[in-house]
């Protein structure tokens, strides 16, 4: 069946181009299918970004502990696995600054190689004193690992 000739439509309908309901439905259906296909990779991307941000924040906290050790004559970076938090303490045990809650900020879990808490001590020269630690940062199926050597060097 052919479409009727243009003169069969009223004059007011000929000058108003638009989309039919079927065209709009097909476009929305196609957009929904594309978003459904892309959703898993977007969710994984968010996890990757969260783990990388938490890893960077943990490394910067350890570097800040080394700097504080040089300034104050000694400091300790304390990593608490169950709380997924890190903070810095001076040589006499007083907390310097606020604790950084990586779990609340980035939604990650910290797993330590030995025990549930690691204390990375640095002397007045910024050298770690048996500061061995390995920390795994995990969110879902995405993990990152940092290793702190006995002298306080961080590798990720």
């Amino acid at each position: 069946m052919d479409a009727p000739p243009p003169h069969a439509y009223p004059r007011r309908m000929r000058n108003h181009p638009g989309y039919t309901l079927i065209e709009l439905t097909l476009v929305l259906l196609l957009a929904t299918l594309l978003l459904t296909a892309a959703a898993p990779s977007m969710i994984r991307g968010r996890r990757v970004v969260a783990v990388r941000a938490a890893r960077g924040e943990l490394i910067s906290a350890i570097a800040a502990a080394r700097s504080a050790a040089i300034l104050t004559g000694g400091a300790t970076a304390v990593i608490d696995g169950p709380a997924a938090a890190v903070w810095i303490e001076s040589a006499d045990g007083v907390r310097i600054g606020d604790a950084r809650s990586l779990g609340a900020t980035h939604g990650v879990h910290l797993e330590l190689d030995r025990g549930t808490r690691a204390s990375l001590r640095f002397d007045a020269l910024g050298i770690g004193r048996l500061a061995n630690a390995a920390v795994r940062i995990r969110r879902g199926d995405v993990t990152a690992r940092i290793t702190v050597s006995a002298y306080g060097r961080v590798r990720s």
Side-chain angles (χ1 to χ4, degrees):
M1 178 173 172
D2 294 333
H7 59 73
Y9 294 109
R11 181 174 292 282
R12 59 184 158 81
M13 289 182 69
R14 278 187 249 155
N15 296 331
H16 296 290
Y19 300 104
T20 64
L21 186 59
I22 293 174
E23 291 171 330
L24 291 174
T25 303
L26 288 175
V27 168
L28 288 175
L29 180 66
L30 183 62
T32 303
L33 288 174
L34 290 174
L35 285 174
T36 303
S41 62
M42 290 190 313
I43 291 170
R44 179 163 168 70
R46 287 188 66 202
R47 290 182 189 146
V48 168
V49 168
V51 167
R52 286 182 184 169
R55 180 183 65 193
E57 196 168 339
L58 184 58
I59 291 171
S60 70
I62 295 170
R66 289 183 81 174
S67 298
I70 295 169
L71 291 174
T72 63
T76 303
V78 180
I79 303 170
D80 188 5
V86 60
W87 63 87
I88 302 169
E89 295 178 352
S90 64
D92 55 356
V94 177
R95 188 176 288 187
I96 300 172
D98 295 329
R100 299 178 187 182
S101 178
L102 304 177
T105 306
H106 303 290
V108 297
H109 300 284
L110 300 181
E111 298 169 0
L112 301 166
D113 61 343
R114 287 178 273 155
T116 58
R117 183 178 280 192
S119 296
L120 310 175
R121 292 187 190 95
F122 298 97
D123 64 10
L125 297 174
I127 299 173
R129 294 296 173 203
L130 301 175
N132 283 344
V135 182
R136 186 180 329 171
I137 304 159
R138 183 177 51 83
R139 180 173 174 179
D141 60 339
V142 179
T143 61
R145 185 175 174 96
I146 68 165
T147 305
V148 183
S149 71
Y151 295 111
R153 292 178 50 197
V154 179
R155 295 186 183 175
S156 61

